[in-house]
Amino acid sequence: FVSRQCLIFSLLKQKQGCTTLSTNVMFLKTHKTASSTVLNIMFRFVERYNLTVALPADQLVHLGYPKTFLTRFVEEFQAIGQNYNIMCNHLRFNPSEVRKVMAENTFYFSILRNPIPLLESSYIYYKDAVPAFRISKNVNEYLASPLEYYYPENYKQNIYARNIMWFDFGYDNNAAPNERYIQAVLKDIEKNFHLILIADYFDESMILLKHSLCWDLDDVIYFKLNSRSQDTIQTLTPESKERIKTWCSLDWKLYLHFNQSFWSRIEETIGLTLLEKEVNHLRMRQKELMETCLLDQEAVGKDYIKDKAFLPFQSGSANILGYNLRQDLDNRTLRICQKMVMPELQYTSYLYSLQHPHKKRKRLGLPSLWNSSQEKVQLSTPN
């Protein structure tokens, strides 16, 4: 007996010349690194192949973040044990605890972003939540003298203000930038993760991920999620850009190291010629889906999103963009399009209700959240 799922996997492997298609995958979702878009890709993969995802327990939307990850942050871990296929919600990495949840053959990957635009993005997004950001007028003022605003003893409130990627990987974001320490951490990350992607080269990252996991093109197709409007971007001065390299020196070293290894990996496994060809295919497919799905052919500001069930979570001074879907879609196409534009919190809540129907649904304060009994109706008739 061969299940339909196994047959699909077998056909995909033959098509790509792969030897092993990965269905056990752990994605460390870092902050402000296009990781919400990756999470949507992961969630759609879960649904496409009827996999099990390690979701936050009870009313949590993160896996315990910013606390260091423990198995108790996963819903029903005690009952399900080491039988989850996918883990991708925010957590602060703790390898020994994560390995208790995920199978031995799990593929581990994460994503990094250039710390210069990352810090500016964090400043806007977390402006109201982070003391160091809140009491400074703008990002350039903050960077001119960060220690006037940033107090290490308040690190739990200020984690987004310095070396946030370093923190997400489980390390001390206020550690002294000792070269020996930095090299030890880099080796540790290389030991724990099979692949580190680069958000600044997102399409190239998706192609590398596709090859690494033996997935097909539609598994990594995406619409950009959790992005913000251009008018909320603050222009960094040249001096501020240089100061970020020093202020966030741990993240800067992390980024430089894995940016280099990213391109080395591409040259070794794909080659630049094939990469360019596949990136073009990805963009063509994305354009085709945008023409099929989207009313406006692009993301729109929060005030212009017609169906508030698809309104992304809004934070700080950012205007987080979303999408309007076309009204003339057949039910099957509509379902595909809705999943591609579904924001992170809504998708987490939706999968939670499907995977744990006997549990109390998450109270996220969002309108028209779906559950398993409503899915057929609400995913077929948008507001």
Side-chain angles (χ1 to χ4, degrees), residues 317-328:
S317 304
N319 179 357
I320 304 301
L321 306 178
Y323 295 94
N324 290 317
L325 298 179
R326 291 176 51 156
Q327 301 297 302
D328 57 347

Side-chain angles (χ1 to χ4, degrees), residues 20-26 82 84-85 102-108 194 213:
T20 304
L21 189 147
S22 297
T23 55
N24 295 328
V25 184
M26 190 276 166
Q82 201 176 27
Y84 296 92
N85 301 111
M102 302 304 293
E104 287 187 15
N105 67 342
T106 295
F107 184 94
Y108 289 77
H194 298 92
L213 296 177

